[in-house]
Amino acid sequence: MSEERSLNFLEEIVEEDIRTNRHDGRVLTRFPPEPNGYLHIGHAKSICLNFGLALEYNGKTNLRFDDTNPVKEDVEYVDSIKEDVKWLGFEWANELYASDYFDLLYAFAVNMIRQGLAYVDDSTPEEIAAQKGTPTEPGVGNEYRNRSIEENLRLFEEMKAGKYPDWSKVLRAKIDLASPNMHLRDPIMYRIKHAHHHRTGDKWCIYPMYDFAHGQSDAIEEITHSICTLEFVPHRPLYDWFIEKLEIFPSKQYEFARLNLNYTVMSKRKLLQLVEDKHVDGWDDPRMPTISGLRRRGYTPASIRDFCDRIGVAKRENMIDVSLLEFCIREDLNKTAWRRMAVLDPIKLILTDYPEGKTETMFGENNPEVEGGEGGRDIPFSRELWIEREDFMEEPMKKFFRLAVGNMVRLKSAYIVKCEGFAKDAEGNITEVHCTHIPNSLSGNDTSGLSVKGTIHWVSVPHAKTAEVRLYDRLFQVEDPSNEDGDFKDYINPNSLTILPNAYIEADLATAVPGKGYQFIRKGYFTLDKNSTTDRLVFNRTVTLKDGWVKK
């Protein structure tokens, strides 16, 4: 353990278990997603915690898919989850599925019936809910609770054989209808669901409920530390009860606070609504908090792992500011992103004293934050350049150190230039800025003796490539859209995506690949979109250079 920080409560538990030689000092965790959607940043916290804890103590982690609800699950989600876990930098010891254990779970259920601890109930879901009572009133039993063991065994076998329609019967545990914990009031163990399963096909028409499948799967795999989020605290007594009555491996469940991130939603149901209602361009839209969306936007595995490490492990729910996630990606990209020039809102700058047809080659470091600059690239320079429209003002405000008539600026990695005039079109829009250059002011070899306060970026007109640039921002306008009045979708930020169809970029960027981060000098961090082509380059903004959001 590092001496720079104290242990979190899970590390304290693991270290005590190792000290007392519980389970021979072995550490085996698991990450158990349900394959009914794409993983999001909240799952990333769980992934980093489960895999990280095992790695810290020379243990292992299983990837187990909780595939007990065939109606909502799909191989597409299984594949995406595996890709996300690997992308984050983790390797699982075993790839497992709850469906691997369907035969064994069925045998466990039969065992419970034989002990008189489970019964088949013909009540409807609504009747069962009513019979369970309320948190302040005990539940009441029904006539099915007193069925004989023999009748329950026969009916459960007939449920398995497909004799009954969906939800016409369920198997319930017989525990305590007066328990103050509602989860112990004869919870449902199995329901009938005639549905094709993505792995077991049509073999089964009864499927175990989460509470019956989860703890037993942990026990089958001999998981030493089953780490869940806080909403599963009330489920823990039932987890322990099943393990005790079945006399199987005593896995233990521990709970931590899940990740709540402002300006977003983390509910799979709500994320699915955003996708289905076309508010976003699929699960991997760069505005989505999904891991695939963050990857497409240009976030790095290192930045997400750093974020999860910084927020730590807590026992109480709290809201994390998304600016911390943005800080982590800025920190990483500042050290790794190559610098390039891109003009997003172009106007033309003409060097009136520079020879027509002449091209010079300037040199630019790939990353000045790294010793040696990580090499560099040649930048063509010519008489006509694209510059940002905002870098020229016809009537400059006070302390405007960029281009205006009479002003001088440094062209990044090139010459100092002086603005001599400009041209407008018929509508009065500025179309050209006219400058002269100082020949002996070349960057790195400047003997002019001039000092200027402004430096602007540029792209040579005859050498520029055209690109579509997508400026992404936060998807919601309010910090907690799920807790606002009305539909959470009413609070979608209308400016969460701005598309600039005709930006000009350095020719070098034509060789960019998705996942590689670039700092567009003075503009932000960007990456090539997965749908970009050689004929149509598309860059996504990962994050701005500075946090532009101010708390209201």
Side-chain angles (χ1 to χ4, degrees), residues 361-386:
T361 301
M362 309 303 180
F363 176 80
E365 286 184 314
N366 284 330
N367 191 335
E369 295 295 320
V370 179
E371 187 175 351
E374 284 195 346
R377 82 285 187 195
D378 291 334
I379 312 170
F381 181 88
S382 64
R383 185 175 191 266
E384 295 190 353
L385 309 171
W386 294 115

Side-chain angles (χ1 to χ4, degrees), residues 254-317:
Y254 306 94
E255 304 86 13
F256 70 99
R258 65 183 176 184
L259 172 62
N260 297 305
L261 197 65
N262 62 7
Y263 293 102
T264 189
V265 294
M266 304 289 259
S267 156
K268 277 187 183 177
R269 178 180 58 81
K270 290 179 178 177
L271 294 175
L272 181 61
Q273 283 185 53
L274 293 173
V275 173
E276 291 182 337
D277 295 348
K278 307 293 185 185
H279 292 288
V280 294
D281 178 28
W283 285 97
D284 67 347
D285 185 295
R287 292 165 291 180
M288 290 280 272
T290 54
I291 296 175
S292 56
L294 291 166
R295 178 166 62 244
R296 186 175 175 188
R297 185 159 171 168
Y299 276 77
T300 62
S303 69
I304 294 175
R305 293 195 303 267
D306 181 34
F307 171 70
C308 293
D309 186 52
R310 286 174 183 269
I311 60 178
V313 180
K315 290 185 178 182
R316 294 177 61 185
E317 297 281 3

Side-chain angles (χ1 to χ4, degrees), residues 322-524:
V322 70
S323 63
L324 177 59
L325 177 61
E326 294 167 348
F327 169 82
C328 291
I329 186 60
R330 284 191 191 98
E331 284 279 289
D332 189 44
L333 289 178
N334 186 49
K335 296 178 290 187
T336 61
W338 283 2
R339 274 51 170 174
R340 294 295 183 265
M341 292 193 283
V343 177
L344 308 187
D345 183 17
I347 58 171
K348 189 176 288 186
L349 181 151
I350 299 175
L351 295 174
T352 55
D353 64 336
Y354 196 87
E356 292 192 34
K358 179 180 177 180
T359 298
E360 285 185 81
T361 301
M362 309 303 180
F363 176 80
E365 286 184 314
N366 284 330
N367 191 335
E369 295 295 320
V370 179
E371 187 175 351
E374 284 195 346
R377 82 285 187 195
D378 291 334
I379 312 170
F381 181 88
S382 64
R383 185 175 191 266
E384 295 190 353
L385 309 171
W386 294 115
I387 64 167
E388 294 289 350
R389 187 173 298 277
E390 68 181 10
D391 284 339
F392 174 81
M393 290 190 74
E394 183 178 356
E395 297 180 6
M397 65 183 74
K398 193 175 181 180
K399 295 187 177 180
F400 182 74
F401 299 124
R402 288 164 282 167
L403 284 173
V405 175
N407 276 12
M408 290 193 294
V409 301
R410 162 84 60 191
L411 297 178
K412 177 72 175 173
S413 301
Y415 295 103
I416 294 173
V417 298
K418 181 178 181 181
C419 183
E420 308 289 356
F422 56 91
K424 293 183 177 181
D425 60 18
E427 284 75 41
N429 300 309
I430 295 168
T431 57
E432 294 177 356
V433 177
H434 301 150
C435 294
T436 54
H437 78 298
I438 313 301
N440 61 340
S441 66
L442 188 60
S443 184
N445 190 27
D446 185 353
T447 60
S448 69
L450 297 172
S451 176
V452 294
K453 292 184 176 180
T455 299
I456 66 172
H457 63 283
W458 51 272
V459 177
S460 170
V461 170
H463 303 95
K465 296 288 184 181
T466 304
E468 177 181 303
V469 173
R470 298 172 180 173
L471 304 180
Y472 289 102
D473 208 335
R474 299 176 185 180
L475 186 55
F476 291 93
Q477 301 180 85
V478 295
E479 288 204 37
D480 192 359
S482 296
N483 277 343
E484 297 286 345
D485 293 335
D487 191 330
F488 77 100
K489 297 189 294 295
D490 294 340
Y491 300 96
I492 290 175
N493 177 9
N495 301 313
S496 63
L497 171 59
T498 301
I499 296 177
L500 306 176
N502 294 303
Y504 292 109
I505 60 175
E506 286 188 43
D508 176 83
L509 284 168
T511 61
V513 293
K516 170 65 181 171
Y518 293 92
Q519 185 194 103
F520 288 0
I521 293 170
R522 301 173 64 219
K523 288 295 163 185

